[in-house]
Amino acid sequence: MNTVSPSILPSDGTEAVLIGRMWDPISNGPRVVAVSEDMLVDLTQTFSTVSELLDNDNAAELVRQTAESPLRWKLADVVHNRHSGDRSVPFLLAPIDLQVIKACGVTFVESMIERVIEERCGGDLNRAAEVRESVNRALDGGLASLRPGTVQAQEAKKILAAQGMWSQYLEVGLGPDPEVFTKGPVLSAVGHGSGVGIPGFSSWNNPEPELVLIVDSSGQVKGATLGNDVNLRDVEGRSALLLGMAKDNNASCAVGPFIRLFHGDFTVESLRAEEISLTVDGPEGYKLEGRNSLAHISRPFEELVGAAHGRHHQYPDGFALFTGTLFAPTQDRDAEGLGFTHRTGDVVTISSAQLGTLVNHVRKTEEMEPWTFGIRELFKYLTAVEKVG
């Protein structure tokens, strides 16, 4: 089954400055590429990594000037080569490489409430509906307008604690400091068309459609892309200290299809009200739809970036920052009250007008191809490319 959308570019694709990475079977490694009309144009001879490219102040202009390489591939051909471990054909990789993959959690009130529910039912999806009802009664719909870190937010935390509804998620959802964690190792993200993995030990999980800010080594946001922060609700619900187990598994992070660089009218301001849509199409005919509206985010982008990067922490190769999601699925898939969880074969489509479309299919983590191409392999490849060049 072909699970790749026929069009993955932003609605103004010919105007956007889009960069990414693809697997090249001829050189047997990743190439840095730019989208030029209906082609992918190689940039690797000028910029060996996306990280290197983004550390230029005028990155977008440099891409436009250097996108004349004779080495190019038809975009449609590469997009439709779904990655299934076959390195004999070109396919899209995640558009980040040496950047650390960071993520923010509980940046929307609605998702904060769902984290509280997970915690209070101990990760047991059979109790979720009952706990959701009690939590919503206690919250009484009064948190939507609160700004984290304010006196009003602190007071709301006290009231909830007095009602027996204290949760560590209230601290990062309403307190002065956002939750920022490392989602996955460098080079571990998968790209458009690849499988995303759900480990066999999880029975309650979901996609998280998110805006991903791409930040250079100085802490400057250079562009953005889409991401799927695959989440194991049963694991994190047992204990927040199991966040690593819930978030970092093989193919648990999808990013793409391309990084859109800030250029012309497309700036960070363009993203503050971006609407990100999600569709999950199940093999049994099930369909789930949702959205992530950045206009409802509780903290500005600058606060999230500043919590990750500053005098307290630097990233010499830059970082990709997932900004959290408004979306938390409660729609029943099977029995009433059990909510949503993934099935093998689900097709997950995440899209927005300005960033394009990211499509992945759900697979069992243990049955996927092992992750073998890491930093050491990248260095070997780049050394060989340099010698040939």
Side-chain angles (χ1 to χ4, degrees), residues 117-118 120-132 202-205 233-235 237-238 329-330 332-342:
I117 291 166
E118 287 170 14
R120 294 189 69 79
C121 68
D124 182 358
L125 65 85
N126 294 289
R127 297 183 53 217
E130 170 195 347
V131 174
R132 184 174 294 109
S202 175
S203 59
W204 187 19
N205 42 70
R233 300 188 70 178
D234 47 0
V235 175
R238 285 162 51 202
T330 59
D332 290 331
R333 182 168 197 170
D334 296 308
E336 183 177 352
L338 293 186
F340 171 85
T341 196
H342 269 308

Side-chain angles (χ1 to χ4, degrees), residues 135-268:
V135 169
N136 286 332
R137 275 200 309 270
L139 297 177
D140 196 27
L143 295 181
S145 62
L146 288 181
R147 173 76 168 85
T150 62
V151 173
Q152 293 83 356
Q154 294 295 97
E155 188 60 30
K157 278 201 307 176
K158 290 180 182 178
I159 294 172
L160 289 167
Q163 295 179 5
M165 302 299 293
W166 181 88
S167 167
Q168 55 204 329
Y169 294 106
L170 295 177
E171 176 59 38
V172 292
L174 298 175
D177 301 307
E179 177 188 20
V180 183
F181 58 92
T182 299
K183 167 63 180 177
V186 169
L187 290 175
S188 66
V190 298
H192 173 85
S194 294
V196 288
I198 300 294
F201 54 75
S202 175
S203 59
W204 187 19
N205 42 70
N206 65 270
E208 292 191 351
E210 301 192 22
L211 170 73
V212 183
L213 299 176
I214 307 300
V215 189
D216 69 10
S217 64
S218 69
Q220 182 179 355
V221 182
K222 290 295 188 63
T225 187
L226 298 170
N228 183 0
D229 177 13
V230 180
N231 182 44
L232 310 184
R233 300 188 70 178
D234 47 0
V235 175
E236 186 177 356
R238 285 162 51 202
S239 170
L241 296 181
L242 294 174
L243 185 65
M245 182 180 178
K247 293 289 189 178
D248 181 11
N249 297 284
N250 272 1
S252 64
C253 176
V255 180
F258 301 102
I259 296 170
R260 181 169 185 174
L261 299 181
F262 293 145
H263 179 74
D265 293 335
F266 180 66
T267 68
V268 71

